[in-house]
Amino acid sequence: MEEKKNKSVIDKFWDLLASVQLAIIIFALIALTSIIGTILEQRADEARNLQVLAKLFGESVAPALYTVFNKLGFMDMYHSWWFITLLILFSVNLIICSLDRLPKVWKLTTEPMAPSPEEKLRKFLITREIVIKGPAATVRDTVTDALKQIGFKSQEVTEEKGFQFFSQKGPYSRLGVFITHFSILIILCGAIIGLRFGFKGYVNVPEGTATNLAFADRGTRNIPLGFEVRCDNFDVEFYGMSDMPKEYKSWLTVIKDGREVLKKSIAVNDPLTYEGITFYQSSYGFMNEYMDRGIFLFRLVSANGQSSDVQLRPGDSFQIQGSNISGKILNFSPALRIDEHGHAFTYANQMNNPAVLIDFSESGTRTLTGWILKRHPETWQLPNGDRVEFLDYWGVEFTGLQVRKDPGVWIVYFGCIAMSIGLFIAFFMSHRKIWVKLIEEKNSTKILVGATANKNRAAFERKIDTLLSLLGRKEKGEK
Amino acid sequence: MDSSALFGISTMAYILAMIMYMTYLAFRKEQIGITATVITIAGLAAQTLAIILRWKEFADLSGMGLLRSVPLTNLYESLIFFVWCLILGYLLIEFRFKNRSFGAFVTPIAGIALAFIDLSGVSKEIQPLVPALKSNWLLAHVTMSFIAYAAFSISFSTGLMYLIVTTEKKREPSYIFWTLTFGIFMIVMIAMAIDLFSFKVAVKPDIFIKSYLFKTTFLNSSPAVKLLSWIVSCVILFLVWQFGSLLKKVIQKVNIDAEMLDEITYKSIAVGFPIFTLGGLIFGAIWADQAWGVYWSWDPKETWSLITWFIYAFYLHGRMIRGWRGKKVAIVSVIGFMAVIFTYLGVNLLLSGLHAYGSQ
């Protein structure tokens, strides 16, 4: 950086784009702007964010602030032109800095090791010196053994007054950082491919019906699937009597050109994929407008023990066999609750507490009207000893499916794997080099050790100390 | 003995250890230091057993097998696991660097986390799992995230200590930065201690209050108390700023040099960052892809994880620039941990989104 003062404009621009300084400025900008994006709800109603702004800055300035933030694209900031520009700048910085540094690092990685002269050896960051009795020729084996024990296979050269050993480990670990950087670009590419050639949508499929299209998350576009998906059944299980779902499942059938080609039950964390389009279980609910198609399964048990199973629709009437009681289904509620005045009302649009309202008659005269709740068997009992057991219902629920096609997801996953490997190499491996020079003196041999490590020098130093203690011990043993 | 009794024992042990480590730092008596370490190890043992027991209790209750019944499904369990990782990480450093004085800076984080459990009114019950959490990814994603959080907490402590040791002048920005951070940390601790004392010991209110946090101080119903709390806070901040150099002297006496602090800060981040990237971001993305059908949806939790990731990336790259090494990157490591706290707690408590499991 201090080499030449009069660099051309292009060189300066290149240096800027390759600089770590630019990288950390971009990091800071992405981090800071993203904070705003988490406080303002993205793609939300205007009223919601006005409320957020009013809470933070006061009612009076909220509308003006909203206008400013809206103009700047903060209401959908991750898709705004400036955020995308930041991401592009981030990528450009990554590419240029890699191109800028790779040749130098590649040279360091592939360069063969060479013996080192004594004065250079003494200048390394890690240096040690030890004197062992005996001529260099005998000490030689001790040294190669010790080097092997700390995991270095060494090359050897014969020198004027002795020998020199040198060895390196993990030169390719220098490339870890490039793998990491490159993996980010791969992930971004995968994301772009997904955005360009895929879609995200949703569709609600009522039980017993099929659909051949989904609705895009953004906008009102209809997406043709190219095949049909039918929901054969939907079921939700709750924890005890609570409204907390334990599991919900849909039984789906894929129909292509009029033929059933695939059947699978899906649940949260367990989607179905067909022709690159994946269906995720995401929600469920009750469809008021489908009420008339609903089928309720009852078991009618008379006081004297006769029992029969019937399937009924709203408005249908039934007669309990072996009894003079008859009934007519008047109404259905997916989630019934009784308020303090004794009025029944529906408190949710999901099958939390399904109930049917039945009008009962005894020998043709109306006697009572009451709710029968699926979750509460005590409501099944009639005053005369007959029972109406509410066993099941079908056809009034819909399953909410996320529909997604993302041809880029495998590229993203590949990038993720590359990133994991790259980070592992970059942080947990290092390029270590060691030189050991044997200089024969009168009755002994001087051993000079010089070493370098591009990362985690302290750990390597401990290793070198192990080497020295191995040499020292050998000497004592031989005496 | 059941898990909650053991958790109680470990909490007491950690709080006692925190006091011992602080006393050790002040008086430098070897015995006190050894006692602190022994208490910490005992606390860790009790907590380990408690986690294993709770895991088993959860597995028995849910009938889903051990792999899917990791006790890491709500705020309470995650805080417990975070403290466990933090203490384990701290003990490793204590043995590795043969230096006890970091204890006085790391154990308070554990203390605050444990006090937070009691004060914020988070449910300690074993809760049934919502369908989205029933996945094998839970174990990998959550444990790795918290191991990384614990590593980042350690880098916060040592980063802060680095700033304490290296700053000279009172008007220096890094001095003002560390005294401010340290002061806020102290204020939060004191306020929580008052809360704990007033609600758990002195008065036991009959009415159920969802969260006791700061109810005796900053969130008190009386405006006078509120005002007083703020005034006292400002006084504390001023005092820390005025007498910060005393702390420097204390630390310097127990033979910690700046280089060692810098090394531990870097190493904790060098361990935390890859684990966070893999376990937090990548595994999280794969799981989200399976459960929600999108690997990245700019949900507040995801975005804050990314913000945290960028701050630590900033730290790692900042070290490569001449003039940034040292104080400037130490500040970044402290800010990084603030982002971690927000990613972990702030998002759950303040922002809405898909990751709402932790807020109950």
Side-chain angles (χ1 to χ4, degrees):
Chain A
M1 265 157 240
E2 310 119 51
E3 304 141 30
K4 280 178 252 165
K5 270 185 188 161
N6 30 8
K7 277 185 170 179
S8 74
V9 184
I10 294 170
D11 283 345
K12 275 185 190 163
F13 189 60
W14 175 272
D15 284 348
L16 173 74
L17 286 178
S19 66
V20 185
Q21 279 89 340
L22 180 69
I24 65 171
I25 290 169
I26 296 170
F27 293 171
L29 280 175
I30 293 179
L32 287 172
T33 50
S34 296
I35 292 174
I36 303 173
T38 61
I39 294 165
L40 291 170
E41 213 170 301
Q42 299 297 295
R43 294 185 196 161
D45 292 336
E46 191 177 333
R48 250 200 105 85
N49 281 324
L50 271 174
Q51 214 180 338
V52 172
L53 288 170
K55 216 171 170 184
L56 289 172
F57 303 103
E59 292 279 354
S60 51
V61 288
L65 272 176
Y66 184 89
T67 322
V68 173
F69 278 124
N70 197 17
K71 280 262 164 63
L72 292 172
F74 275 100
M75 299 305 154
D76 189 10
M77 65 158 273
Y78 305 114
H79 302 93
S80 68
W81 65 268
W82 54 264
F83 194 75
I84 290 169
T85 309
L86 267 180
L87 290 180
I88 293 170
L89 206 57
F90 176 60
S91 313
V92 170
N93 180 232
L94 263 178
I95 296 168
I96 306 270
C97 92
S98 300
L99 288 178
D100 196 53
R101 287 168 178 73
L102 193 56
K104 243 187 270 169
V105 176
W106 186 253
K107 204 177 150 229
L108 282 172
T109 306
T110 51
E111 204 172 40
M113 269 184 88
S116 167
E118 191 175 338
E119 35 321 339
K120 207 179 148 197
L121 223 156
R122 288 186 188 279
K123 275 189 201 140
F124 283 124
L125 285 166
I126 309 169
T127 49
R128 296 285 187 280
E129 198 179 319
I130 188 175
V131 180
I132 291 184
K133 290 216 169 102
T138 50
V139 175
R140 204 186 124 204
D141 292 338
T142 319
V143 172
T144 37
D145 277 358
L147 275 169
K148 212 183 243 168
Q149 272 194 11
I150 63 160
F152 283 88
K153 255 197 241 155
S154 53
Q155 284 174 277
E156 183 190 337
V157 286
T158 313
E159 290 179 328
E160 234 181 292
K161 281 159 130 193
F163 305 95
Q164 184 167 167
F165 300 91
F166 48 88
S167 179
Q168 62 175 344
K169 269 181 97 177
Y172 289 97
S173 72
R174 287 184 185 271
L175 301 176
V177 61
F178 293 98
I179 298 173
T180 310
H181 285 175
F182 192 59
S183 73
I184 294 172
L185 295 172
I186 297 173
I187 291 171
L188 288 173
C189 276
I192 291 167
I193 290 170
L195 286 174
R196 182 72 190 78
F197 301 105
F199 64 80
K200 276 180 210 146
Y202 68 93
V203 65
N204 291 339
V205 191
E207 278 174 313
T209 66
T211 180
N212 57 8
L213 42 87
F215 305 99
D217 277 349
R218 302 190 73 185
T220 47
R221 194 160 64 93
N222 288 353
I223 306 155
L225 299 173
F227 54 86
E228 282 195 328
V229 176
R230 188 177 68 212
C231 173
D232 296 321
N233 191 14
F234 173 82
D235 197 22
V236 54
E237 247 182 89
F238 293 92
Y239 281 104
M241 290 287 182
S242 76
D243 290 347
M244 187 178 173
K246 188 176 180 183
E247 190 174 52
Y248 39 107
K249 257 186 166 177
S250 305
W251 282 261
L252 301 181
T253 303
V254 176
I255 303 161
K256 172 107 181 170
D257 304 323
R259 278 191 318 121
E260 293 185 1
V261 287
L262 183 63
K263 264 181 187 290
K264 187 182 189 285
S265 67
I266 65 162
V268 182
N269 280 316
D270 184 17
L272 170 148
T273 305
Y274 184 73
E275 288 190 344
I277 301 178
T278 311
F279 297 85
Y280 300 86
Q281 181 73 68
S282 93
S283 65
Y284 56 93
F286 165 72
M287 301 194 93
N288 215 8
E289 59 272 31
Y290 276 81
M291 246 254 314
D292 293 340
R293 310 178 335 134
I295 292 172
F296 306 103
L297 180 65
F298 294 106
R299 176 168 295 155
L300 308 171
V301 187
S302 69
N304 56 28
Q306 277 195 51
S307 126
S308 58
D309 288 1
V310 287
Q311 287 186 9
L312 300 166
R313 286 172 186 277
D316 282 358
S317 297
F318 60 87
Q319 173 78 44
I320 300 179
Q321 281 180 15
S323 161
N324 53 0
I325 303 276
S326 63
K328 183 173 191 245
I329 298 177
L330 295 180
N331 202 356
F332 173 78
S333 163
L336 189 80
R337 186 173 282 167
I338 312 285
D339 68 12
E340 62 260 44
H341 306 297
H343 297 302
F345 69 102
T346 298
Y347 70 90
N349 218 9
Q350 302 192 322
M351 290 291 180
N352 292 338
N353 192 15
V356 281
L357 185 66
I358 301 181
D359 202 10
F360 289 102
S361 310
E362 190 171 349
S363 315
T365 17
R366 279 188 58 198
T367 47
L368 75 141
T369 307
W371 287 99
I372 292 198
L373 287 82
K374 184 168 178 288
R375 274 190 181 185
H376 298 270
E378 67 272 14
T379 62
W380 299 351
Q381 198 69 42
L382 299 183
N384 71 335
D386 290 351
R387 256 204 349 263
V388 178
E389 297 180 357
F390 187 177
L391 298 183
D392 209 355
Y393 51 84
W394 186 85
V396 287
E397 275 176 296
F398 69 83
T399 178
L401 304 174
Q402 280 282 347
V403 187
R404 194 203 59 179
K405 182 180 172 184
D406 190 345
V409 77
W410 294 108
I411 299 168
V412 172
Y413 280 3
F414 175 72
C416 288
I417 294 169
M419 186 187 268
S420 312
I421 296 169
L423 283 172
F424 181 82
I425 296 173
F427 283 102
F428 302 119
M429 289 168 86
S430 60
H431 185 190
R432 294 166 167 189
K433 292 185 189 176
I434 184 168
W435 288 266
V436 182
K437 195 172 166 69
L438 272 58
I439 305 164
E440 197 165 285
E441 290 171 338
K442 275 171 208 161
N443 273 323
S444 57
T445 305
K446 186 160 79 180
I447 303 177
L448 272 178
V449 181
T452 61
N454 67 333
K455 262 169 279 166
N456 205 356
R457 188 172 15 122
F460 194 34
E461 255 187 290
R462 280 192 292 277
K463 206 142 224 185
I464 303 284
D465 288 334
T466 319
L467 174 82
L468 285 168
S469 71
L470 279 172
L471 293 175
R473 205 182 305 150
K474 273 277 165 52
E475 196 206 2
K476 271 178 208 156
E478 276 169 12
K479 260 189 224 168
Chain B
M1 202 181 281
D2 66 342
S3 62
S4 55
L6 282 166
F7 279 131
I9 292 173
S10 68
T11 304
M12 296 300 289
Y14 291 154
I15 289 172
L16 197 61
M18 174 178 98
I19 297 165
M20 296 296 262
Y21 275 120
M22 286 174 172
T23 326
Y24 169 72
L25 192 64
F27 299 105
R28 278 169 283 126
K29 285 256 169 31
E30 199 53 31
Q31 272 111 335
I32 299 174
I34 293 167
T35 322
T37 307
V38 170
I39 294 171
T40 314
I41 293 171
L44 186 73
Q47 201 187 12
T48 311
L49 199 59
I51 291 174
I52 293 169
L53 279 177
R54 187 165 170 116
W55 196 328
K56 213 188 150 297
E57 283 163 30
F58 191 9
D60 290 345
L61 202 77
S62 68
M64 286 189 302
L66 284 177
L67 193 60
R68 287 195 177 187
S69 332
V70 207
L72 281 173
T73 56
N74 57 31
L75 189 53
Y76 169 70
E77 290 169 340
S78 68
L79 277 164
I80 291 285
F81 183 67
F82 165 73
V83 171
W84 187 83
C85 294
L86 180 64
I87 297 290
L88 183 68
Y90 164 70
L91 284 173
L92 289 177
I93 287 177
E94 186 182 305
F95 287 118
R96 182 84 172 63
F97 288 87
K98 300 197 172 44
N99 198 318
R100 285 207 174 83
S101 24
F102 308 112
F105 286 81
V106 178
T107 47
I109 300 176
I112 286 190
L114 293 167
F116 181 82
I117 291 175
D118 259 340
L119 293 171
S120 61
V122 295
S123 165
K124 294 182 185 177
E125 301 299 311
I126 292 177
Q127 289 156 344
L129 282 187
V130 295
L133 288 183
K134 289 182 184 167
S135 166
N136 292 339
W137 287 107
L138 177 71
L139 182 68
H141 173 59
V142 184
T143 45
M144 287 177 78
S145 300
F146 281 98
I147 290 169
Y149 287 175
F152 292 149
S153 321
I154 290 169
S155 76
F156 162 78
S157 303
T158 49
L160 199 60
M161 284 168 85
Y162 180 87
L163 289 173
I164 295 173
V165 175
T166 51
T167 45
E168 303 288 340
K169 291 183 217 82
K170 276 205 171 99
R171 304 225 172 265
E172 214 179 320
S174 13
Y175 180 84
I176 296 170
F177 178 82
W178 86 251
T179 48
L180 207 62
T181 314
F182 190 84
I184 292 169
F185 196 74
M186 259 177 77
I187 291 164
V188 169
M189 254 180 79
I190 294 168
M192 280 176 134
I194 298 171
D195 284 331
L196 262 182
F197 183 74
S198 58
F199 282 111
K200 299 279 157 161
V201 186
V203 271
K204 293 213 163 94
D206 349 306
I207 41 156
F208 175 75
I209 303 178
K210 196 172 172 274
S211 165
Y212 298 109
L213 196 61
F214 301 136
K215 281 279 151 63
T216 22
T217 49
F218 301 105
L219 299 175
N220 198 284
S221 47
S222 131
V225 177
K226 239 188 231 177
L227 187 66
L228 185 71
S229 308
W230 287 106
I231 293 170
V232 171
S233 303
C234 291
V235 172
I236 293 176
L237 285 181
F238 176 76
L239 289 176
V240 173
W241 177 77
Q242 184 68 34
F243 301 107
S245 55
L246 288 178
L247 198 62
K248 179 179 172 177
K249 276 182 201 137
V250 170
I251 296 177
Q252 276 174 336
K253 273 186 191 149
V254 282
N255 117 69
I256 300 182
D257 60 342
E259 195 137 331
M260 185 201 252
L261 290 168
D262 184 57
E263 193 193 333
I264 298 175
T265 311
Y266 170 72
K267 283 204 171 137
S268 314
I269 293 173
V271 168
F273 187 76
I275 294 177
F276 182 65
T277 312
L278 183 66
L281 293 173
I282 295 179
F283 287 174
I286 297 173
W287 189 7
D289 189 34
Q290 264 187 27
W292 301 324
V294 270
Y295 53 81
W296 191 265
S297 58
W298 295 105
D299 160 83
K301 191 84 165 184
E302 290 171 354
T303 312
W304 269 97
S305 307
L306 188 71
I307 293 167
T308 308
W309 189 82
F310 269 114
I311 296 174
Y312 284 111
F314 189 118
Y315 171 89
L316 292 166
H317 289 84
R319 278 174 67 89
M320 293 162 54
I321 299 173
R322 223 169 294 151
W324 271 76
R325 223 192 165 99
K327 281 185 237 175
K328 276 187 186 162
V329 292
I331 292 177
V332 178
S333 76
V334 171
I335 294 175
F337 183 62
M338 294 175 188
V340 168
I341 295 176
F342 200 83
T343 308
Y344 178 16
L345 295 176
V347 173
N348 290 14
L349 302 177
L350 304 173
L351 304 172
S352 61
L354 289 166
H355 260 91
Y357 319 115
S359 57
Q360 298 114 10

